[in-house]
């Protein structure tokens, strides 16, 4: 049975048996460790989905959604340090980041239910989902440019700083419901 990489290599006419893997980067992590690091965020993220929606209903979107974004930014800022400390520390941080950011999607829906009139919700939700997809499509190449020009750590610092800045603005101007808003 061929692995995905071997199958693609053969389809493209390359023979990977004659090209041993080249060590790139500063970490000596095998594919299993890399997979655990990449997947660890989603292990945590899946845990807090239902809890996040309920917390936003009980305590308000301002604190739950804002804390989810803020904690993601702080986690991003800490990621290079944790990676250098030990891959286990990075995995633990990514699981925690996933748990804390997992509350954002469901709490966003709690926010929409309070702020958007019922007849406008379907269109607004469609715009939110489109914006989420577009932001991912824009962020990935941007991160690639940051990494190419300033190193892999820089993208964590830039994205983490933007998340922290966004959270400060969110906490300054957001209210849980129109009834709480002073204007």
């Amino acid at each position: 049975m061929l692995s995905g990489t071997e199958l693609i290599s053969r389809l493209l006419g390359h023979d990977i048996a004659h090209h041993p893997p080249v060590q790139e980067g500063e970490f000596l992590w095998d594919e299993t460790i890399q997979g655990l690091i990449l997947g660890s965020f989603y292990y945590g993220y899946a845990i807090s989905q239902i809890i996040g929606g309920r917390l936003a209903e009980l305590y308000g979107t301002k604190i739950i959604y804002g804390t989810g974004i803020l904690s993601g930014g702080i986690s991003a800022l800490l990621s290079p340090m944790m990676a250098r400390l030990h891959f286990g520390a990075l995995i633990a941080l990514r699981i925690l980041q996933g748990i804390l950011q997992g509350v954002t999607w469901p709490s966003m829906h709690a926010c929409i239910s309070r702020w958007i009139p019922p007849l406008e919700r379907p269109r607004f939700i469609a715009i939110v989902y489109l914006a989420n997809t577009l932001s991912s499509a824009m962020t990935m190449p941007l991160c690639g440019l940051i990494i190419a020009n300033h190193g892999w750590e820089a993208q964590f610092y830039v994205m983490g700083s933007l998340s922290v800045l966004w959270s400060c603005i969110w906490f300054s101007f957001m209210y849980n419901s129109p009834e709480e808003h002073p204007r």
Side-chain angles (χ1 to χ4, degrees):
M1 187 71 170
L2 294 175
S3 71
T5 305
E6 291 170 330
L7 180 61
I8 291 170
S9 294
R10 288 199 182 165
L11 289 173
L12 294 174
H14 301 290
D15 186 4
I16 63 169
H18 299 308
H19 301 287
V22 177
Q23 173 63 40
E24 292 183 21
E26 66 183 272
F27 301 108
L28 299 173
W29 295 335
D30 63 24
E31 289 179 359
T32 302
I33 292 172
Q34 291 176 39
L36 287 170
I37 291 168
L38 292 171
S40 60
F41 174 86
Y42 296 99
Y43 303 144
Y45 192 83
I47 291 171
S48 60
Q49 290 288 297
I50 294 172
I51 297 167
R54 187 65 182 138
L55 289 173
E57 288 175 347
L58 294 173
Y59 302 108
T61 303
K62 178 179 182 173
I63 191 74
I64 303 301
Y65 189 83
T67 300
I69 301 297
L70 178 63
S71 65
I74 293 169
S75 297
L77 293 170
L78 294 173
S79 291
M81 181 177 69
M82 293 296 127
R84 287 193 176 99
L85 182 64
H86 190 271
F87 70 85
L90 181 59
I91 289 171
L93 177 67
R94 301 241 333 133
I95 291 171
L96 179 63
Q97 182 180 18
I99 291 169
L100 294 169
Q101 282 191 279
V103 303
T104 56
W105 250 151
S107 65
M108 183 231 5
H109 287 286
C111 180
I112 290 170
S113 72
R114 290 190 178 116
W115 280 91
I116 306 299
L119 294 177
E120 295 178 28
R121 285 183 197 154
R123 181 177 24 173
F124 190 82
I125 289 172
I127 291 169
V128 168
Y129 277 87
L130 174 66
N132 181 60
T133 303
L134 290 176
S135 70
S136 295
M138 291 171 31
T139 301
M140 295 301 172
L142 176 62
C143 287
L145 286 172
I146 293 168
I147 291 168
N149 291 311
H150 302 289
W152 69 270
E153 307 97 329
Q155 77 85 26
F156 287 97
Y157 298 138
V158 169
M159 295 301 160
S161 298
L162 289 173
S163 294
V164 170
L165 174 64
W166 183 93
S167 297
C168 292
I169 294 168
W170 172 267
F171 286 121
S172 297
F173 294 105
M174 181 59 187
Y175 292 87
N176 288 319
S177 67
E179 293 81 26
E180 291 180 20
H181 197 283
R183 292 173 294 286

